[in-house]
Amino acid sequence: MRYRTVISYLAPLVFSGVMTSYSLNAVSQTGDAHASHGQDNSVPEDARDPHAYSGGYSRTEGLYRLPGVAPLTLMDEHYFWSVQGDRLEWLKESKHLTFDISSWVGTTFNRVVVTAEGEVAEGEVEESSTEVLWQHALTAYFDVQAGLRFDQFEVGRDRQWLALGLQGLTPYWLEVSASVYLRESGHAALNIELEYDTLINQYLILQSCAELNFNAREDSLNGVGAGFSDLVLGVRMRYEISRQFAPYIGIEWLNTYGDTANYRQQRNEDRSENQFLAGFKFWF
């Protein structure tokens, strides 16, 4: 009885070992067979053109086009749209409402993008910048943009620019945006923005951002000096109630340089300032 029990435990183990050995030998023999055949994935020089099998027909013309049925539309040919509010926030010290909203419509590779950002005080738009851009995908992670930018000032003179930009996602998930703006009389400006999200958990996200501005020439009417004009650093902690809506709080630090700082002092404003803020981010 005792020997039968031992055999009953050992038999499945022996059978499993035999089957495993057989499977490994089969795989090894198959691999050797493939290796002996010397598989080559290169296309022979006399290979027939695969498009020649259609007899000259396409998916939009010919005998096989069904009447009243739209032709096949591939994924990169579909049109989509989106609206995204990166910032809609209240600045505590200056009592200003700041907005940064963008929208786009188009395909995977080509889109029309409209962006608007600015500041509102006492129900009036003090200054704003609107861009109308054509965007083309260069790679899976970077897009090139070209279009027009329109600046509006309550105190100062409105400006129009030609805009050229590059934006995308670098390794380690750093969002980068660089834009060059050109207008008459040799005026040029450069804007660089950097953003990085640190995921504390699935809902709580810490966003760090930086913005730098350079100007080739002075614009005294709008209080902008030549050279490196200002630097903005910000930190925002947001809670994503859903992926489409996330309130946040944060702090933003602004420092101006050169003649831009001198213009601020002439208007009885500080060269630098700290702002506590609260707002929300959304998209649909």
Side-chain angles (χ1 to χ4, degrees):
M1 187 67 178
R2 180 178 302 173
Y3 294 108
R4 291 180 182 178
T5 303
V6 173
I7 293 174
S8 65
Y9 280 111
L10 291 179
L13 297 177
V14 174
F15 179 76
S16 176
V18 172
M19 293 303 296
T20 302
S21 177
Y22 175 78
S23 300
L24 294 175
N25 290 332
V27 171
S28 177
Q29 293 175 4
T30 303
D32 294 340
H34 285 304
S36 64
H37 280 82
Q39 289 184 341
D40 187 3
N41 293 327
S42 61
V43 180
E45 295 181 357
D46 58 347
R48 184 176 178 182
D49 181 6
H51 299 288
Y53 289 94
S54 67
Y57 296 115
S58 69
R59 64 183 180 86
T60 58
E61 298 177 354
L63 298 176
Y64 304 104
R65 168 71 186 277
L66 297 176
V69 178
L72 176 65
T73 303
L74 303 179
M75 284 301 297
D76 59 356
E77 297 176 312
H78 284 282
Y79 280 85
F80 301 96
W81 64 272
S82 177
V83 176
Q84 180 171 329
D86 286 327
R87 289 186 301 157
L88 188 61
E89 59 194 28
W90 173 255
L91 305 179
K92 180 181 178 182
E93 278 69 26
S94 62
K95 311 298 182 182
H96 285 180
L97 176 67
T98 301
F99 61 90
D100 185 356
I101 301 174
S102 63
S103 61
W104 61 264
V105 60
T107 64
T108 302
F109 295 99
N110 296 289
R111 298 175 178 178
V112 175
V113 180
V114 178
T115 66
E117 60 178 304
E119 292 186 356
V120 179
E122 298 180 355
E124 299 290 337
V125 178
E126 286 195 343
E127 61 180 68
S128 67
S129 177
T130 304
E131 296 185 39
V132 181
L133 306 168
W134 168 76
Q135 177 175 298
H136 176 71
L138 290 179
T139 67
Y141 296 100
F142 277 90
D143 303 323
V144 63
Q145 296 177 329
L148 299 174
R149 168 181 158 183
F150 306 92
D151 291 346
Q152 178 269 330
F153 300 93
E154 184 180 21
V155 178
R157 181 171 296 179
D158 296 348
R159 303 296 188 191
Q160 295 80 39
W161 306 78
L162 175 67
L164 301 171
L166 180 70
Q167 69 170 16
L169 187 66
T170 69
Y172 303 101
W173 309 101
L174 177 65
E175 296 185 29
V176 179
S177 175
S179 300
V180 176
Y181 303 99
L182 306 171
R183 65 181 181 87
E184 71 279 359
S185 303
H187 287 270
L190 172 64
N191 173 265
I192 299 176
E193 296 183 14
L194 307 172
E195 289 186 3
Y196 185 77
D197 286 351
T198 302
L199 274 67
I200 298 175
N201 56 39
Q202 291 295 321
Y203 301 95
L204 199 60
I205 300 172
L206 179 66
Q207 182 189 65
S208 306
C209 58
E211 181 178 354
L212 302 87
N213 289 288
F214 301 84
N215 295 275
R217 290 193 174 186
E218 183 179 13
D219 185 1
S220 58
L221 294 178
N222 293 317
V224 177
F228 181 31
S229 59
D230 61 80
L231 169 66
V232 181
L233 299 176
V235 177
R236 293 169 175 82
M237 179 72 74
R238 71 176 184 266
Y239 183 82
E240 293 191 343
I241 298 175
S242 72
R243 297 304 181 191
Q244 295 177 275
F245 182 80
Y248 62 82
I249 58 174
I251 185 173
E252 189 172 78
W253 174 72
L254 165 69
N255 196 37
T256 56
Y257 304 90
D259 289 337
T260 303
N262 295 333
Y263 284 126
R264 286 180 61 91
Q265 289 181 329
Q266 292 175 8
R267 300 193 301 265
N268 296 322
E269 298 178 2
D270 295 332
R271 297 170 60 99
S272 62
E273 61 182 16
N274 298 323
Q275 296 276 2
F276 291 97
L277 55 91
F280 62 90
K281 181 177 181 177
F282 67 91
W283 69 268
F284 58 87

